[in-house]
């Protein structure tokens, strides 16, 4: 993909200037906006050294990392893997129950509430039976999401899973742009603390010696969990023994530098929604090419944006102090007005009271004089 580095660079720079242009006269920057600037203008620049290192040596994965082999020829589309994933990860219940197979009538993708989906494809090679394919994060050996993440929220674990730490995530969503498999999704309905959501390969279960939920639930053993190197041997052995049953390729062995989710199939992968145009170059190596084209920017952006951040923090502090002072002055003015109004009201009440007393005394004197006049007469 010769155009991929240029595309990433243009997207980053373009989004940065979009933010600048549309700032208008508002000179205040929140922490999230500032970090978004770093991501847009030079997010990858903070990872320049790491990306260049990756370009020099192809990382072939941790030697004893785990993986999953999906034998597409064995999948029957029962959605047991979806149900297990939902339970293990404590995800919200779907709109339709997992036993409702009418959802297979439409092509689906993963969402923030659904880490894995099974899709159905017609067999274009002439077979009568449809082909079912499970889709989830492929847990690349050199993940594009991790190479695009300047706060290192995504990391490749020694066990094989690509893990995510939402506590450091700033919500820039460059991982979503970078992923060639369109897997990471965003919790748009969570206003206060949205996260990027995706399959975890059940990492917490794996480190405790358990199987991933989907693998454990598969009734047809279409999913096999084990050491990646052993699964590659198993996949090649199945292909060798059954050449008429399988395409002679293990998908995920080399795509984008390799993945921890492997596939073997009886039909061409391009016919079942899987990209065959990715090549074998890992994502960080492509990113390093784009970053190397702008070495001055790579060095200066962190310094420049740190300065912007410091100035902005000072502006926000001054603005907060001015706001507090304005509130205090407003309260003081209201208190003065209230005190004057209260004094006027008291004075008026006093005058009304005195007038009422005088009027009452006058009436009493008039009544007394009237009665005295009546007695005399």
């Amino acid at each position: 993909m010769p155009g991929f580095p240029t595309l990433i660079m243009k997207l980053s720079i373009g989004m940065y200037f979009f933010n600048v242009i549309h700032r208008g006269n508002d000179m205040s920057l929140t922490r999230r906006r500032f970090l978004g600037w770093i991501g847009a203008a030079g997010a990858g620049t903070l990872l320049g050294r790491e990306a260049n290192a990756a370009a020099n040596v192809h990382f072939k994965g941790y030697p004893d990392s785990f993986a999953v082999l999906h034998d597409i020829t064995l999948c029957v589309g029962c959605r047991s893997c979806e149900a297990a994933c939902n339970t293990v990860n404590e995800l919200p219940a779907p709109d339709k129950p997992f036993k409702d197979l009418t959802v297979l009538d439409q092509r689906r993708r993963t969402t923030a509430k659904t880490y894995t989906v099974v899709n159905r494809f017609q067999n274009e090679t002439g077979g009568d039976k449809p082909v079912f394919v499970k889709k989830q994060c492929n847990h690349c050996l050199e993940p594009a999401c991790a190479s695009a993440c300047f706060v290192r929220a995504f990391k490749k674990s020694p066990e094989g899973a690509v893990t995510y730490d939402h506590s450091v995530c700033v919500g820039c969503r460059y991982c979503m742009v970078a992923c060639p498999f369109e897997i990471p999704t965003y919790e748009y309905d969570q206003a206060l603390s949205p996260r990027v959501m995706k399959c975890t390969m059940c990492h917490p279960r794996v480190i405790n010696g358990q199987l991933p939920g989907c693998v454990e639930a598969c009734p047809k053993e279409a999913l096999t969990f084990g050491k990646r190197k052993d699964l590659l041997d198993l996949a090649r052995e199945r292909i060798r023994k059954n050449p008429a049953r399988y395409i002679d390729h293990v998908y995920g062995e080399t795509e984008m530098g390799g993945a921890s989710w492997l596939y073997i199939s009886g039909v061409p992968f391009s016919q079942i929604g899987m990209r065959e145009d990715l090549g074998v170059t890992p994502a960080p190596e492509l990113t390093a090419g784009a970053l190397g084209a702008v070495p001055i920017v790579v060095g200066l952006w962190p310094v420049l944006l740190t300065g912007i951040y410091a100035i902005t923090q000072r502006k926000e502090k001054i603005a907060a102090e001015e706001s507090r002072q304005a509130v205090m002055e407003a309260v003081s003015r209201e208190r003065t007005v209230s005190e004057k109004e209260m004094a006027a009201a008291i004075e008026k009440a006093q005058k009304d009271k005195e007038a009422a007393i005088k009027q009452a005394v006058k009436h009493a004197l008039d009544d007394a004089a009237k009665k005295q006049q009546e007695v005399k007469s």
Side-chain angles (χ1 to χ4, degrees), residues 31-260:
R31 173 176 176 271
R32 182 173 292 274
R33 185 187 295 180
F34 165 70
L35 292 174
W37 270 33
I38 297 180
T45 64
L46 299 180
L47 298 177
R49 297 180 202 169
E50 183 172 312
N52 284 317
N56 295 330
V57 180
H58 173 42
F59 178 62
K60 296 183 179 180
Y62 293 100
D64 292 321
S65 66
F66 294 102
V68 176
L69 173 63
H70 178 23
D71 189 335
I72 295 172
T73 68
L74 298 177
C75 184
V76 295
C78 66
R79 300 184 66 201
S80 296
C81 54
E82 292 187 36
C85 179
N86 179 274
T87 300
V88 168
N89 292 289
E90 300 179 347
L91 300 174
D95 296 333
K96 295 182 179 180
F98 291 107
K99 291 185 178 180
D100 186 346
L101 301 185
T102 60
V103 298
L104 299 177
D105 294 338
Q106 295 182 338
R107 187 76 56 82
R108 298 178 297 150
R109 61 158 295 176
T110 58
T111 69
K113 300 177 181 178
T114 308
Y115 291 174
T116 187
V117 295
V118 176
N119 283 320
R120 181 175 61 201
F121 298 86
Q122 294 303 315
N123 192 334
E124 298 180 14
T125 60
D128 296 331
K129 295 182 179 180
V131 180
F132 300 97
V133 182
K134 179 182 181 297
K135 182 176 183 179
Q136 72 297 300
C137 175
N138 286 329
H139 299 278
C140 304
L141 299 186
E142 294 190 76
C145 57
S147 68
C149 183
F150 60 95
V151 295
R152 302 180 184 238
F154 287 94
K155 293 181 181 178
K156 179 69 174 180
S157 71
E159 293 78 23
V162 175
T163 60
Y164 166 72
D165 182 358
H166 74 274
S167 68
V168 299
C169 179
V170 296
C172 68
R173 285 160 279 176
Y174 286 101
C175 53
M176 296 170 61
V177 177
C179 179
F181 303 107
E182 299 180 337
I183 292 299
T185 55
Y186 196 65
E187 286 184 318
Y188 289 101
D189 58 342
Q190 299 294 324
L192 298 179
S193 57
R195 298 167 295 174
V196 175
M197 308 294 280
K198 73 172 192 68
C199 160
T200 65
M201 207 167 88
C202 289
H203 184 252
R205 289 171 59 89
V206 170
I207 60 179
N208 286 327
Q210 298 174 281
L211 292 172
C214 58
V215 176
E216 189 174 65
C218 182
K220 296 297 181 179
E221 297 184 358
L223 302 173
T224 306
F225 178 79
K227 297 291 181 66
R228 186 175 186 271
K229 57 185 179 181
D230 296 336
L231 293 182
L232 284 171
D233 291 339
L234 174 62
R236 295 191 193 100
E237 183 66 10
R238 288 186 184 181
I239 294 172
R240 186 186 66 80
K241 289 185 175 180
N242 301 279
R245 181 185 179 94
Y246 296 101
I247 299 296
D248 189 12
H249 180 63
V250 182
Y251 193 96
E253 179 178 9
T254 58
E255 277 75 12
M256 288 293 289
S260 294

Side-chain angles (χ1 to χ4, degrees), residues 261-282:
W261 209 281
L262 308 169
Y263 303 81
I264 51 177
S265 171
V267 299
F269 292 102
S270 59
Q271 294 181 13
I272 51 178
M274 301 177 72
R275 295 183 61 177
E276 292 186 321
D277 61 339
L278 299 175
V280 299
T281 305

Side-chain angles (χ1 to χ4, degrees), residues 298-367:
V298 170
L300 293 182
W301 266 121
V303 177
L304 174 61
L305 292 177
T306 299
I308 292 174
Y309 180 63
I311 294 171
T312 302
Q313 287 292 93
R314 183 172 180 274
K315 285 180 177 291
E316 290 182 349
K317 184 177 180 180
I318 293 173
E321 179 60 28
E322 289 176 349
S323 177
R324 187 182 69 83
Q325 187 65 31
V327 170
M328 291 179 64
E329 290 176 358
V331 170
S332 179
R333 285 195 300 270
E334 288 298 322
R335 181 179 296 146
T336 301
V337 171
S338 297
E339 289 175 352
K340 289 181 178 179
E341 291 178 349
M342 180 64 71
I346 292 173
E347 183 179 359
K348 184 177 182 302
Q350 186 65 31
K351 289 180 179 179
D352 290 344
K353 180 180 177 181
E354 291 175 356
I357 292 172
K358 288 180 180 180
Q359 188 66 26
V361 170
K362 183 178 181 301
H363 281 305
L365 292 174
D366 290 344
D367 288 343

